[in-house]
Amino acid sequence: MSTSAEPRVSGLEVRSIDYVPLDERHGKLWHLGPLWFMSNAQIATLAVGLISITGGGNLIWSLLAIVAGTVIGTFFMAFHSAQGPQLGLPQMIQSRPQFGYLGALLVWLFAYVQYAGFNVFNSVLAADSLHTTLHGSVKLWVVVVTVVALVIALVGYDIIHKAERILTYTFLVVFGIFTVGVLVTLHYPAGSFDLGAFKWTPFLAQFGVVAGYQISWAIYVSDYSRYLPPDVTVRKTFYWTYFGSALGGIWLMVLGTLLAAWAGKDFDTIKSIDAAGDKVFSGFGAIVLLFASLGLVSVTALNMYGGSLTLISGIDSFKRVRPTLAVRLLTLALTAALSLVGALAATANFLANFNNFLLLVLYLFIPWTAVNLMDYYVVRRGHYAIAEIFNPRGIYGRWGWHGIIAYVVGFAVMIPFFSVGTLYVGPAAKALGGADISLFIGLPVSALLYWWLTRSLDVAAETRLALAEAAELERAAHEHREP
């Protein structure tokens, strides 16, 4: 748990997609734990735990699917965390060595859609919570949530970390009491804990959504570890990220499953939380919802922050961007505006199909995470010429065909195994009774194909170039810093 010798200059964060120089590195490694715990421990995550119950599965197998999906999905997400301190770069700009200077736009577009989609859901859910407890118009609360989240995202990295730590401590008290109340006061249908009532389709559907939700965090991870000093170990960085995210995810998904099993067809996220909380003592449901709205504001800020970085990366592909506060403000405002428009226009039908959105996210980012992790840990083993990532005519090229081919092929072989509710069920999924095992197809195919295609890469030459450019990289980073 290392800290840098130099504290960070206070104020609004200026850096965005650019390299963080060594004298600006700061923070404690354990801060990753509460950040990723609280990112998952918010009531939007409840929705991820519903699909098995609503699909005819019983409670015990739903809980086991949640644990299994979290254990596996978080494994891939957490390995991205070590990339931040070692490279000093946010997550998505790191796709250029695999996909190329322009080719990375493919995954950045999908990432931006994810940020927007989650923010629509999060801000509407927060607004509904505030409407239920404090009254007032839902649309007014959507605006308030968006503005507060925008301010947090603008101040940037440090306040996001601090806010998530404070919220974590409060969460343990509020949701600790709420969870005990749910376990003690609620009653569940007959057969809820019958291990003999196993059904493959709802189990795998729940597993897939959970794993996809956890993997979907992979596009955020280095954004919140890149200011850490590079001497932190990969193992400890992985552990703090993994256990923080996994524990937060399991806790809220399990709550979602318990509430759905109890409420049955009458389940509604806000109303069910309110009713279950009031069983502890009158008015406690409102306290839970008020705190939950703060958690949703914080994760909305995370999405704006990541969306801004992704948008800047995209713009930089066509016109070199000097990282300034003005650029951050502009891209944050645009990202917030798009999310606000989506939230104000959101219908009950959109919210009801949130699980389908989660599955689509899984499909889009399975091949990307496979390619990115294979490149970092096996092919290049963490050795990148960072300055070349920002060079449109650099060694990584404009189009990284190795990564693009591995991504497209990995995605294509998953299609027959897709099972997206009523939208699409592939022939292989139909043969399996509607079960979705696409995760187990896309991951190995994309990873192994990328490894095979990159066998001829001269990684040693890239490493020599990185060492030769190191001093210039530090100097350029200081020149780009605003006074």
Side-chain angles (χ1 to χ4, degrees):
M1 289 179 282
S2 175
T3 59
S4 63
E6 296 286 339
R8 181 174 182 268
V9 178
S10 62
L12 303 181
E13 182 183 3
V14 173
R15 297 202 178 278
S16 57
I17 63 172
D18 51 324
Y19 169 76
V20 179
L22 297 179
D23 67 349
E24 291 184 28
R25 303 297 186 91
H26 66 284
K28 296 181 179 179
L29 191 53
W30 71 266
H31 290 172
L32 294 174
L35 181 131
W36 291 114
F37 175 85
M38 198 61 224
S39 297
N40 250 345
Q42 33 83 21
I43 63 172
T45 309
L46 282 172
V48 188
L50 307 180
I51 193 168
S52 177
I53 290 291
T54 57
N58 74 344
L59 180 57
I60 186 64
W61 284 110
S62 299
L63 297 175
L64 291 172
I66 286 170
V67 173
T70 303
V71 167
I72 292 176
T74 313
F75 180 83
F76 297 97
M77 167 266 191
F79 267 119
H80 289 282
S81 193
Q83 298 171 331
Q86 299 305 311
L87 302 181
L89 297 174
Q91 192 67 63
M92 295 312 291
I93 198 72
Q94 297 174 31
S95 297
R96 278 180 176 169
Q98 302 100 53
F99 294 89
Y101 196 86
L102 289 178
L105 285 166
L106 169 72
V107 289
W108 293 344
L109 173 62
F110 298 151
Y112 199 73
V113 169
Q114 175 182 314
Y115 288 126
F118 276 115
N119 258 6
V120 169
F121 186 77
N122 293 335
S123 55
V124 169
L125 200 56
D128 281 342
S129 300
L130 292 166
H131 167 72
T132 301
T133 54
L134 302 179
H135 308 297
S137 164
V138 170
K139 292 189 175 181
L140 173 63
W141 285 121
V142 166
V143 174
V144 170
V145 167
T146 302
V147 171
V148 174
L150 174 61
V151 172
I152 294 171
L154 177 61
V155 178
Y157 181 95
D158 283 344
I159 195 173
I160 290 173
H161 268 273
K162 179 177 267 189
E164 297 293 50
R165 288 198 299 276
I166 294 170
L167 287 171
T168 294
Y169 306 142
T170 314
F171 175 94
L172 293 174
V173 176
V174 175
F175 270 79
I177 296 170
F178 179 66
T179 303
V180 171
V182 166
L183 293 173
V184 171
T185 65
L186 303 188
H187 301 284
Y188 306 103
S192 291
F193 297 96
D194 180 7
L195 287 169
F198 177 75
K199 297 179 181 177
W200 266 111
T201 301
F203 179 86
L204 287 177
Q206 183 67 76
F207 175 91
V209 167
V210 170
Y213 187 72
Q214 292 302 101
I215 289 173
S216 72
W217 287 109
I219 67 172
Y220 301 64
V221 188
S222 286
D223 297 355
Y224 300 102
S225 64
R226 74 190 197 276
Y227 281 92
L228 288 171
D231 60 352
V232 298
T233 65
V234 171
R235 179 172 55 86
K236 289 183 179 179
T237 307
F238 172 87
Y239 285 157
W240 281 112
T241 303
Y242 183 93
F243 288 108
S245 181
L247 291 173
I250 288 174
W251 190 333
L252 267 293
M253 294 177 209
V254 164
L255 271 179
T257 300
L258 292 172
L259 289 171
W262 164 66
K265 294 181 180 179
D266 296 327
F267 176 80
D268 174 87
T269 300
I270 304 301
K271 292 178 181 177
S272 296
I273 290 173
D274 195 20
D278 283 349
K279 285 182 174 293
V280 178
F281 62 83
S282 180
F284 185 60
I287 294 173
V288 175
L289 287 175
L290 280 172
F291 175 76
S293 66
L294 296 178
L296 289 165
V297 169
S298 73
V299 79
T300 300
L302 260 73
N303 283 316
M304 288 184 187
Y305 186 87
S308 167
L309 294 174
T310 303
L311 187 56
I312 294 171
S313 299
I315 296 169
D316 186 71
S317 298
F318 299 101
K319 179 179 174 58
R320 291 298 298 274
V321 174
R322 182 174 181 267
T324 64
L325 181 59
V327 169
R328 285 195 65 239
L329 177 59
L330 178 63
T331 52
L332 279 169
L334 179 58
T335 303
L338 290 173
S339 299
L340 179 62
V341 169
L344 293 175
T347 63
N349 190 49
F350 167 81
L351 300 178
N353 285 306
F354 184 61
N355 282 330
N356 290 339
F357 175 75
L358 289 174
L359 279 172
L360 293 174
V361 166
L362 166 67
Y363 300 148
L364 291 171
F365 286 104
I366 285 296
W368 170 80
T369 199
V371 167
N372 185 265
L373 292 178
M374 176 62 75
D375 187 63
Y376 185 86
Y377 286 100
V378 178
V379 176
R380 290 186 167 95
R381 299 184 181 182
H383 300 297
Y384 293 85
I386 294 172
E388 296 297 300
I389 291 175
F390 298 95
N391 182 358
R393 296 175 181 82
I395 61 172
Y396 298 121
R398 295 173 71 79
W399 301 94
W401 292 111
H402 299 148
I404 293 171
I405 291 170
Y407 180 95
V408 171
V409 171
F411 186 83
V413 299
M414 290 168 63
I415 293 175
F417 297 88
F418 288 173
S419 181
V420 194
T422 58
L423 297 180
Y424 175 78
V425 179
K430 286 180 182 177
L432 294 169
D436 189 330
I437 62 168
S438 57
L439 167 70
F440 301 106
I441 307 300
L443 266 172
V445 168
S446 288
L448 293 173
L449 179 57
Y450 183 78
W451 170 80
W452 185 78
L453 291 171
T454 55
R455 289 174 300 160
S456 62
L457 281 182
D458 190 350
V459 178
E462 290 186 21
T463 303
R464 290 193 296 271
L465 180 59
L467 292 173
E469 293 179 341
E472 175 61 22
L473 182 68
E474 290 288 324
R475 186 192 65 78
H478 285 93
E479 284 185 355
H480 291 165
R481 181 167 53 197
E482 285 190 341

